[in-house]
Amino acid sequence: MRTIVHDLQEQEFAGWAEGGQGELTVISDNGTIRQCMGCFDCWTRTPGACVIRDGYNHLGELLSKSDELIIISKCMYGSYSPFVLNVLNRSISYVLPYFVTKNGETHHRNRYDHQFTLSVHFYGDDITEAEKGTARTLVAANSLNLYSAGNNVYFHNSLHSIKEAIQ
């Protein structure tokens, strides 16, 4: 299964997912997602599920079923847009609250015996080389934290080039 998380307007993304192969889940901003409260109840009180019941409460489980996670985000100072960042924050239930050392760094243990490929497509007219470097470092860290099978980072000047790249 492929999962696409994007911050595009509905009319910008319309028709992109048509004709694709396999199962596809698209997560976009419908205006109902709430901010992560940092309560960690997704680890303690309701393991694996967020306590906020806004339709985004099973993002960790969704990642456990994905073979490929595709993120489409406006590049904002070398990071994701607020919506995409919030989706990633709300996906923390994908990992466990326990720790393990990887490459000399402390990381959470994985909850699921599963890996997906992470592809991030940043767009913007004026992405600087410094922002690209920051974005690559961020995606590599996210890939490590989420136990992904690998990651790819792309930079686009137009939405049309993103559409061609993900199909």
Side-chain angles (χ1 to χ4, degrees):
M1 175 175 75
R2 294 171 67 194
T3 300
I4 298 176
V5 177
H6 72 85
D7 62 2
L8 302 172
Q9 298 295 317
E10 186 176 329
Q11 66 272 19
E12 292 173 324
F13 191 75
W16 283 29
E18 296 173 5
Q21 297 178 356
E23 191 177 344
L24 175 68
T25 299
V26 177
I27 300 171
S28 58
D29 190 359
N30 63 10
T32 62
I33 191 170
R34 292 176 43 203
Q35 298 291 319
C36 177
M37 298 182 298
C39 66
F40 302 115
D41 280 350
C42 60
W43 283 338
T44 58
R45 195 167 64 132
T46 58
C50 181
V51 295
I52 302 171
R53 303 291 182 231
D54 60 0
Y56 295 89
N57 49 317
H58 293 287
L59 293 173
E61 181 184 355
L62 176 67
L63 291 182
S64 77
K65 297 175 182 175
S66 297
D67 298 312
E68 181 180 17
L69 174 61
I70 300 169
I71 296 174
I72 302 169
S73 176
K74 180 172 178 130
C75 188
M76 305 190 80
Y77 305 106
S79 186
Y80 306 107
S81 68
F83 172 75
V84 171
L85 187 57
N86 194 32
V87 169
L88 291 175
N89 289 342
R90 295 282 301 277
S91 300
I92 197 167
S93 63
Y94 181 70
V95 294
L96 291 168
Y98 312 110
F99 296 107
V100 64
T101 301
K102 293 192 308 188
N103 303 329
E105 300 175 343
T106 302
H107 295 275
H108 291 283
R109 291 183 187 258
N110 56 336
R111 179 183 298 274
Y112 302 97
D113 186 23
H114 178 78
Q115 288 187 313
F116 54 82
T117 302
L118 175 62
S119 298
V120 180
H121 296 266
F122 288 107
Y123 64 90
D125 294 331
D126 54 356
I127 304 172
T128 67
E129 288 304 314
E131 289 172 319
K132 288 179 181 180
T134 300
R136 286 185 188 100
T137 301
L138 174 66
V139 172
N142 292 153
S143 180
L144 182 64
N145 289 334
L146 295 172
Y147 293 85
S148 77
N151 69 81
N152 296 295
V153 183
Y154 306 95
F155 300 95
H156 302 273
N157 292 326
S158 73
L159 298 181
H160 179 71
S161 67
I162 300 172
K163 182 178 180 180
E164 288 179 348
I166 66 167
Q167 298 205 353

